[in-house]
Amino acid sequence: MTAAPPYPQKRTCPYQPPEGYAAVEEQGPVLKVTLFDGREAWMITGFQEAREILTHPNLSSQRTHPNFPIVAPRFRSGIARNLALIAMDPPVHDTYRRFLNPHFSLRSARTMRKDIEEVVKGYVDDILDQGPPADLIPALAVPLPSLIICKHLGVPYADHDFFQEASGRVMLGTEEDSVAGGQALVDYLDRLTHDQIANPTDGLLGTLVRERVQTGEMNHDELVSIALVLLIAAHETTSSSLALGLITLLEHPDQWARLQADISGLPRAIEEILRYVATTDLVATRVAKGDIEIGGHTIKAGEGVLVSGTIANRDEANHADPHTFDIGRPDTHHLTFGFGIHQCLGQNLARLQIEIALEALITRIPTLRLAKPVSELPILGSGTVQRVLSLPVEW
């Protein structure tokens, strides 16, 4: 019997899967992998199999289950195992989604377009005023989603350096970093939500206070937990997706030129970026609460389950020439934002920010290019979340 390959594995290219994933893909679409602590878990790598299992009633998000698959030491912390929404099953999960969905709908995101355009314009103005070279991580990719989620939640942007650093420790640090960063964020949000309850503002946190806390449908601790998830997820993944998407485009100058010739193709191009890059390697970490028959295998109750977006998004059964980056492909469907009831809450806002930022760069700095070979860009991440620490460009 073939040994269960190790998971996760580190990327050597910011936008390409680790080389070892080719062997994982060959053993799929349902196989076992070996985690960092020596335990095994099931991994789903097929696109259709992923969609099937993500809607299966026997799949649970309860991270406190003793057999829940922990893919990195930082996710063993109590905070990481009790996150609102992410670590919840129905009916509690469904209640929280009902509270939040209207505030992250496509309609809601579109009302923020003008504000985002103004913010992006200011950042690009500054980049042009400074002149080449420029590092687009601190100049655009990090501050843009940070500022937008601050405005949306009603979090003081003056504190953005603190929560950017703390959220980075939670998502990409050691186990000790994750615990310390998570607790620092919880303490900060505890104080902030107390202020909101005493004097609610116009942001989402203030709205939730008026609509849910004051009616008794949500308590203070629940509001803190929700704010924590929204603050981390909205900042970290959008920032990385924008940076990695830009790198991918610049490394494919023919695709960059296609967008220069017809910027109306940008929304489809973004879907291809999301499919191809898969910033978050996993779209789901779960545990089976009952037996699941899938792909000719039986996943037994109590066994861990992982769903790889990186591999499923390149499934040859669903995508023609899946390892080719083609912004005009008709089959751009992907699992980067998940599937089923846990599909990413903030996907509409993330898409909008990436679209506006890329359009500004393509139209205002058409000769943009990397100032260093992509092989020299510093990558941070253990294989589950990808991030580049600098993105030097010139024009």
Side-chain angles (χ1 to χ4, degrees):
M1 183 175 178
T2 304
Y7 181 84
Q9 300 176 27
K10 290 185 177 181
R11 292 188 186 188
T12 56
C13 172
Y15 59 86
Q16 293 285 14
E19 293 181 4
Y21 281 15
V24 176
E25 184 178 359
E26 287 176 5
Q27 293 183 43
V30 180
L31 73 155
K32 282 193 173 181
V33 294
T34 303
L35 306 179
F36 76 97
D37 57 4
R39 294 193 301 167
E40 291 187 351
W42 289 97
M43 172 166 277
I44 312 300
T45 63
F47 187 88
Q48 294 301 332
E49 289 81 4
R51 286 167 60 101
E52 177 184 342
I53 202 165
L54 287 171
T55 57
H56 200 287
N58 282 344
L59 204 63
S60 172
S61 297
Q62 290 290 342
R63 297 189 173 196
T64 53
H65 190 288
N67 293 339
F68 193 89
I70 306 298
V71 298
R74 63 184 178 276
F75 296 128
R76 290 190 291 206
S77 70
I79 291 173
R81 301 186 77 167
N82 289 280
L83 291 170
L85 296 169
I86 294 173
M88 290 177 170
D89 288 336
V92 177
H93 169 271
D94 297 347
T95 299
Y96 280 12
R97 287 294 293 235
R98 178 170 56 83
F99 292 164
L100 294 169
N101 280 344
H103 304 287
F104 288 92
S105 66
L106 181 57
R107 181 178 181 181
S108 174
R110 284 173 174 166
T111 65
M112 302 178 70
R113 174 177 283 275
K114 287 186 177 180
D115 283 345
I116 298 172
E117 287 174 342
E118 282 298 311
V119 171
V120 169
K121 180 182 182 300
Y123 288 137
V124 177
D125 285 347
D126 291 343
I127 292 167
L128 289 169
D129 289 344
Q130 171 192 310
D135 185 349
L136 295 188
I137 297 300
L140 178 65
V142 166
L144 172 61
S146 180
L147 176 59
I148 297 306
I149 195 59
C150 280
K151 288 188 171 205
H152 195 39
L153 292 181
V155 174
Y157 185 65
D159 298 331
H160 71 282
D161 284 340
F162 158 72
F163 63 75
Q164 282 170 196
E165 187 271 339
S167 65
R169 292 164 70 191
V170 172
M171 295 295 290
L172 296 162
T174 64
E175 183 173 1
E176 293 76 17
D177 283 338
S178 180
V179 171
Q183 190 59 55
L185 280 171
V186 167
D187 292 343
Y188 170 83
L189 292 169
D190 179 72
R191 295 190 297 271
L192 182 66
T193 51
H194 271 303
D195 292 342
Q196 288 286 340
I197 290 172
N199 185 26
T201 61
D202 292 334
L204 176 55
L205 295 183
T207 300
L208 290 174
V209 166
R210 288 188 295 271
E211 293 181 353
R212 306 301 174 187
V213 176
Q214 291 178 352
T215 61
E217 296 175 277
M218 184 186 296
N219 62 38
H220 168 261
D221 289 345
E222 290 172 317
L223 185 62
V224 170
S225 186
I226 287 173
L228 177 67
V229 170
L230 296 178
L231 197 61
I232 292 175
H235 161 70
E236 202 68 38
T237 54
T238 304
S239 174
S240 292
S241 294
L242 173 55
L244 298 182
L246 180 60
I247 293 168
T248 306
L249 281 172
L250 294 177
E251 281 293 282
H252 296 80
D254 58 324
Q255 305 298 300
W256 180 266
R258 287 175 70 176
L259 289 173
Q260 285 182 306
D262 183 10
I263 198 65
S264 68
L266 185 55
R268 179 180 291 275
I270 289 169
E271 297 310 306
E272 174 66 347
I273 287 170
L274 292 167
R275 180 196 74 85
Y276 193 75
V277 172
T279 302
T280 51
D281 192 30
L282 291 174
V283 297
T285 52
R286 303 283 190 270
V287 65
K289 59 183 180 182
D291 290 357
I292 300 172
E293 300 289 337
I294 188 166
H297 296 271
T298 301
I299 299 174
K300 297 186 180 298
E303 293 186 319
V305 179
L306 309 174
V307 181
S308 172
T310 295
I311 302 177
N313 284 348
R314 298 186 180 210
D315 185 350
E316 292 183 353
N318 282 273
H319 296 92
D321 199 10
H323 297 288
T324 296
F325 179 65
D326 178 8
I327 64 171
R329 70 164 59 242
D331 53 346
T332 57
H333 48 282
H334 58 80
L335 294 171
T336 299
F337 290 125
F339 188 73
I341 64 171
H342 283 278
Q343 195 167 156
C344 176
L345 179 69
Q347 61 180 290
N348 296 312
L349 188 55
R351 280 187 174 100
L352 185 61
Q353 292 178 76
I354 295 169
E355 176 188 338
I356 292 170
L358 289 180
E359 181 173 359
L361 294 172
I362 292 165
T363 57
R364 297 186 61 190
I365 319 179
T367 58
L368 196 69
R369 59 188 180 273
L370 292 176
K372 287 185 178 180
V374 71
S375 61
E376 294 182 14
L377 298 180
I379 305 172
L380 178 64
S382 65
T384 54
V385 180
Q386 320 307 326
R387 181 204 266 186
V388 288
L389 297 179
S390 67
L391 178 45
V393 295
E394 53 193 14
W395 58 92

